[in-house]
Amino acid sequence: MVNATTKLGGTASDIVVAKVAHGLMSMSWVPKPVSDEQAFEAIKAGIDTLPAGVKMILNSAQFYGPGMSTHNLEIVSRFFEKYPEYAERTFLMVKGGHNPDKLGLDNSAANLRRSVDICLAALRGKKAIDCFQPARIDKAVTIEDTVRTLAALKDEGKFAHIGLSECAAATVRRAHAVHPIAVVEIEVSPTSYEEETKKVIATCAELDIAITGYSPLGHGLLTGNYNSTADIDPKDVRAHLSRFQEENLRHNLVIAEAIKSLAAKKGCTPAQLCIGWVASLGDKVIPLPGSARKERNLENLVGGDVILTEEEKAEMAHILATHPVKGGRYGDDDSNLWG
């Protein structure tokens, strides 16, 4: 049974959720999407760990499928078609704003409306969208206009709450001034803890907004499961990430080994240690690891109950200070990621 819980923010501040969320991307945005049977088992197992009244955050997107398709949302739809009683036990976050015509981001009012409708069509009424988020901040549209569009769609009953993703602290503040924001999704891990990350966390704490920290395991880098680039499928998205390139990976595996040693002393897995570390960054900071297998999801959820001592936090800080991560979160220069 999962013990650690928290509440969301904004218009969702009365909703109690597990301290660790479940990202669904790896079920479909991979070289070979998993079977419904495997996906359903993983989703259901996580929900089954929760006590009554606590919801599991499920994180999906308009484009988490081959060819930027709605494949992932279709898995979600089929899950709730089979298990309708689980709909009220989950909080479904959906990222959108993808324009299929432009093959890219478009947060114009017309495209956000189309994006939401595409997502709703894929879900087929089997599960409501609890929180809709533009996947990135479109610099061609002011954040104020973006949030006004989202507020109008929310008022029409398209979804219940507004979220943001990959946004700077100043953007969060401007958005929240237009309409309360329930959740902000940013990358947070021991190797992705930039100055702007810290500012976003502090701003959200001030405004009582929850944070879902995606990739708390550094896209798998910190799990201890990789020894070289030979362990990465060439079709896997990680094969293109800066930190997984040969020279960078050799450097970064030293960090992974140090975290593995610390986890062994702690009596938990490296994944659980990293998830516990992210969870320790704030009462409403919710680690968002992805998993496509039941056993991995259950392992991740236990990470929310891992409490690091001050000495262990200091040791983690020492590891990262003496051996800083090499490479950016995606490319070599991530300065344009913060919207």
Side-chain angles (χ1 to χ4, degrees), residues 8-50:
L8 300 174
T11 53
S13 58
D14 61 335
I15 296 176
V16 180
V17 296
K19 182 65 171 176
V20 179
H22 186 186
L24 308 182
M25 184 182 77
S26 59
M27 295 179 176
S28 57
W29 210 358
V30 288
K32 185 180 179 181
V34 304
S35 66
D36 277 6
E37 180 182 22
Q38 181 180 326
F40 291 2
E41 181 182 55
I43 296 170
K44 185 175 181 294
I47 302 168
D48 284 342
T49 65
L50 305 182

Side-chain angles (χ1 to χ4, degrees), residues 221-222 226-232 241-258 323-327:
L221 174 69
L222 305 178
Y226 296 95
N227 296 307
S228 74
T229 54
D231 296 329
I232 304 170
L241 298 182
S242 176
R243 291 174 182 175
F244 286 85
Q245 302 311 302
E246 187 67 50
E247 182 183 345
N248 290 349
L249 183 60
R250 284 199 304 270
H251 172 95
N252 294 333
L253 285 176
V254 176
I255 305 171
E257 282 300 311
H323 206 82
V325 66
K326 193 170 183 178

